Amino acid sequence: MSTPPLADLPIRRLTPRDLVACADLSEDRGWPREEHKWGLLLAAGKGYGIDDGKGGLVTACVVTEYGSRARPDLCAIGMVLVAERHARRGVGRRLMRHVVAETGTTTPLTLYATPYGRPLYEELGFKVIGSSEMVRGRFTAGGPPSTVATRPATGEDLATLVRLDEEVFGTDRTHVITRLPAFADQLRVAEENGRLIGYAAAWPNMDTHVVGPLIARDTETAKALVASLAAHTDRPLRTDVDIRHKELLSWLKEQGLASVAFNAIMTYGSPDLPGDWTRRFAPLTVAAG
């Protein structure tokens, strides 16, 4: 039996059972397999994909919804991938049009775009509202010790942490943040006079620890959180920082991290992102906004 043309293959919802197929698709395109991250995204978000008649997936992406389950305030799109043998045949455009049609008519969308993917998203109506810089490397502490107090988060902190996150992020993402204790190797908070003023996680990704989310009252608090995470790992660090946080980026580079790439922050259906960017230093992952 002949394989139907790509335009006729149905788009279906993915589930956590598709984790290996998603990781295989990442590897097919030269990305790391990132099974740990795929597992979180497929559990906390909605995956979409097209099955390849010869096995595996033709294409896939994940949408993470924030706010009310009935009417989300924001949807983040990530991990948009097309198998190499099906590339440049319009299948990625078809999948994105499907996602926009399903969610973008009522809910603002956001994504981080590589230079390669940006033209497609602009064609679909996404607008660039900012940029993030990925930095990576072995953190080497230098300079005077921070006066900001940090410590490991406890179960008693979780409710307060979720409230702080919603205030800064601009909408509720309890279903993601409450997964951090199991997903991350480290979850630390910064406090002043018993009040939480920031938090950060470090989660494993291949040979690195990714720092994110990074929520902090100010740059000094963000620095203290990163330094405290670095002090408890022997892996290189990686993070994606909003380029408006110039002081933090300069400090990270002084501590040994180097610039790797830039991504455009884009939105659809909204001129900007909700929340307070001055306290939002780095996302959990660019795939989840």
Side-chain angles (χ1 to χ4, degrees):
M1 182 180 295
S2 61
T3 302
L6 286 178
D8 294 338
L9 293 174
I11 295 171
R12 70 171 177 89
R13 284 282 302 276
L14 303 178
T15 75
R17 292 190 298 273
D18 295 296
L19 188 152
V20 172
C22 290
D24 289 345
L25 184 59
S26 291
E27 195 170 53
D28 174 77
R29 292 314 305 256
W31 289 20
R33 290 185 61 84
E34 298 185 306
E35 291 189 22
H36 187 59
K37 182 169 76 174
W38 272 113
L40 174 72
L41 295 172
L42 290 170
K46 295 179 177 179
Y48 295 87
I50 297 175
D51 291 312
D52 190 329
K54 297 184 178 180
L57 291 167
V58 172
T59 184
C61 74
V62 179
V63 178
T64 309
E65 298 178 342
Y66 300 113
S68 166
R69 181 172 297 183
R71 187 181 176 88
D73 300 317
L74 181 70
C75 291
I77 303 173
M79 307 302 282
V80 182
L81 286 163
V82 178
E84 178 63 36
R85 73 188 192 91
H86 296 296
R88 295 169 293 280
R89 296 172 64 187
V91 68
R93 180 179 291 100
R94 180 183 166 215
L95 180 63
M96 282 297 300
R97 288 191 186 281
H98 175 83
V99 169
V100 170
E102 283 231 326
T103 59
T105 54
T106 58
T107 305
L109 306 177
T110 186
L111 55 78
Y112 285 71
T114 64
Y116 177 79
R118 177 174 164 177
L120 168 61
Y121 305 133
E122 289 179 327
E123 177 187 324
L124 295 173
F126 285 80
K127 307 295 184 183
V128 176
I129 63 164
S131 181
S132 71
E133 183 175 4
M134 181 192 295
V135 291
R136 181 188 186 281
R138 291 203 172 273
F139 184 95
T140 304
S146 175
T147 59
V148 178
T150 67
R151 60 171 174 79
T154 69
E156 294 179 350
D157 295 317
L158 198 54
T160 304
L161 193 153
V162 166
R163 288 195 296 270
L164 172 63
D165 184 84
E166 181 174 356
E167 177 186 328
V168 175
F169 190 73
T171 187
D172 177 57
R173 52 176 180 172
T174 300
H175 67 302
V176 173
I177 302 305
T178 52
R179 285 179 162 88
L180 284 179
F183 176 72
D185 284 345
Q186 295 187 64
L187 180 60
R188 299 184 66 86
V189 297
E191 60 183 355
E192 182 181 74
N193 299 323
R195 181 172 64 90
L196 260 62
I197 58 174
Y199 82 93
W203 51 272
N205 186 265
M206 313 308 291
D207 65 334
T208 68
H209 266 131
V210 176
V211 175
L214 176 54
I215 300 289
R217 179 183 63 183
D218 50 35
T219 303
E220 290 308 309
T221 304
K223 290 179 182 179
L225 284 164
V226 173
S228 68
L229 293 171
H232 294 85
T233 179
D234 58 0
R235 298 188 186 193
L237 298 184
R238 199 190 88 198
T239 190
D240 295 85
V241 178
D242 188 314
I243 63 168
R244 291 174 290 186
H245 292 295
K246 296 178 181 178
E247 184 181 348
L248 179 64
L249 280 166
S250 295
W251 177 80
L252 288 169
K253 292 169 186 176
E254 290 170 2
Q255 310 309 309
L257 279 66
S259 181
V260 175
F262 289 86
N263 289 311
I265 303 171
M266 307 185 77
T267 60
Y268 178 97
S270 174
D272 203 354
L273 292 173
D276 180 4
W277 74 266
T278 66
R279 292 184 287 165
R280 188 177 58 232
F281 287 84
L284 165 61
T285 163
V286 296

